[in-house]
Amino acid sequence: EKSESRTTFIFPDESSSLNTIQDTTDIQMRNANLLVDYTLPINNKLKLFLGAHEYFRHIDNTYRGDLIAYSMTYNELRSAAYLQLEYSPTEKLVLSAGLRAENNRNRLYETLRNNYWHWLPSFSLLYSPKADHQLRLSYRERLNYPNYRYLDPFVRYRTDSLTRSEGNPYLKPEHIRAIELEYSYTSDAILLQVRPYVKFYSNQIQLAHSLSDNNVLVERYQNIGRSNYYGVSAELETEFCDWFVPSLYTDLHYTHFPNPAYNGWTWDFQ
């Protein structure tokens, strides 16, 4: 990726001259991804699922601005292993429980290093009263990793050095706990899914502002947020022929923050 931007700031004070900042960013990224899954049937009612996941990426990021220029090297390795047990006491009922252990190691240059372990359990109950109807209740935990740009340890100045943006190389991933109740109907030409859900976010990444001793506004990403999502999503897919499959997706949720001023509804339609 390569991008260039040129920004001109016009101040209301006539004594201030125009301030133009030009930025150039050049990013080179290499990724490697390996996923291995294995299923072990123990008997007619019990199955064991095993898996391992390795994800690696290397990033060279070069930034050139009017006030600062630097090059950053970033390496990240995500290693995960999971174990899941599935039990079917009847043909219509399936119970499952699992645990995923996930480790994230990243390095900026040779000096800034992070090593985080996370344990992510999951549970589900699947009931199929008929062949084309399913009802699933599930609980799962997952991670939302920060953009590598948020980890950038350098300082960027803006608008005559009155504002600076600092990276946070020790930023942790967001932790999400989700409870979902999913109903699905499947036929030869129709797929319908309706999913009420509740999601709890912790270690949420938000942009924090502070004022330094010399009255410079400092922006920095921190794990300071938490919020709850209460919503419902629906997906409809129909198949008229082999080459035309129209689909519809909607999502409506209410977000609750510790500060009520930020609470509100969000609607998504695709």
Side-chain angles (χ1 to χ4, degrees):
E1 304 175 23
K2 188 172 184 179
S3 61
E4 296 183 3
S5 63
R6 184 178 179 88
T7 307
T8 301
F9 301 91
I10 302 177
F11 296 92
D13 186 358
E14 296 181 356
S15 61
S16 301
S17 60
L18 298 183
N19 182 15
T20 301
I21 296 179
Q22 186 167 350
D23 302 280
T24 302
T25 302
D26 191 357
I27 304 168
Q28 296 183 3
M29 183 184 304
R30 292 182 292 275
N31 302 280
N33 195 31
L34 175 64
L35 177 63
V36 178
D37 289 314
Y38 180 72
T39 303
L40 176 63
I42 299 176
N43 52 44
N44 294 332
K45 296 184 177 182
L46 198 61
K47 290 183 181 179
L48 182 64
F49 298 89
L50 305 171
H53 188 195
E54 293 286 333
Y55 172 75
F56 172 79
R57 65 175 175 170
H58 172 86
I59 300 174
D60 291 315
N61 180 17
T62 301
Y63 173 82
R64 293 182 298 276
D66 290 343
L67 299 176
I68 190 173
Y70 63 83
S71 295
M72 183 182 74
T73 301
Y74 175 74
N75 290 283
E76 179 184 29
L77 176 64
R78 302 179 195 172
S79 302
Y82 79 89
L83 174 69
Q84 181 174 326
L85 193 63
E86 184 178 284
Y87 176 60
S88 304
T90 67
E91 294 182 355
K92 297 182 178 181
L93 184 63
V94 179
L95 306 174
S96 66
L99 180 64
R100 178 183 177 94
E102 192 162 325
N103 176 253
N104 176 263
R105 286 177 288 173
N106 59 63
R107 184 181 75 239
L108 286 83
Y109 315 103
E110 296 295 333
T111 55
L112 298 174
R113 298 171 181 263
N114 291 324
N115 190 347
Y116 300 125
W117 273 101
H118 297 272
W119 303 90
L120 309 172
S122 64
F123 309 92
S124 72
L125 184 153
L126 176 63
Y127 178 65
S128 304
K130 296 182 180 180
D132 51 357
H133 294 269
Q134 285 188 343
L135 189 64
R136 182 191 300 271
L137 177 63
S138 64
Y139 170 86
R140 63 189 179 95
E141 298 186 17
R142 65 181 180 88
L143 302 176
N144 186 18
Y145 286 94
N147 190 302
Y148 74 93
R149 292 181 177 89
Y150 298 166
L151 308 176
D152 179 351
F154 287 95
V155 175
R156 300 182 183 181
Y157 289 91
R158 304 175 183 173
T159 61
D160 283 336
S161 301
L162 297 179
T163 303
R164 75 171 187 254
S165 178
E166 296 181 353
N168 184 357
Y170 303 106
L171 201 62
K172 296 181 179 180
E174 298 175 338
H175 196 146
I176 304 169
R177 299 172 175 86
I179 302 174
E180 298 178 345
L181 178 63
E182 178 184 291
Y183 166 77
S184 62
Y185 169 76
T186 307
S187 67
D188 295 336
I190 296 177
L191 170 62
L192 173 64
Q193 290 182 335
V194 181
R195 186 182 300 110
Y197 62 84
V198 180
K199 297 180 181 179
F200 305 96
Y201 283 72
S202 58
N203 267 348
Q204 201 163 14
I205 300 172
Q206 294 182 351
L207 189 61
H209 296 84
S210 61
L211 197 64
S212 66
D213 295 337
N214 53 356
N215 292 327
V216 173
L217 183 64
V218 181
E219 301 177 340
R220 195 167 191 255
Y221 287 96
Q222 301 275 21
N223 295 108
I224 57 174
R226 60 182 179 88
S227 61
N228 301 333
Y229 289 70
Y230 308 93
V232 59
S233 64
E235 183 175 358
L236 176 63
E237 184 178 292
T238 62
E239 183 176 348
F240 288 106
C241 56
D242 294 338
W243 55 272
F244 184 57
V245 182
S247 62
L248 177 67
Y249 174 81
T250 61
D251 181 84
L252 175 66
H253 64 263
Y254 180 80
T255 308
H256 179 266
F257 293 93
N259 187 345
Y262 299 100
N263 295 348
W265 291 92
T266 300
W267 171 265
D268 186 16
F269 180 82
Q270 301 178 17

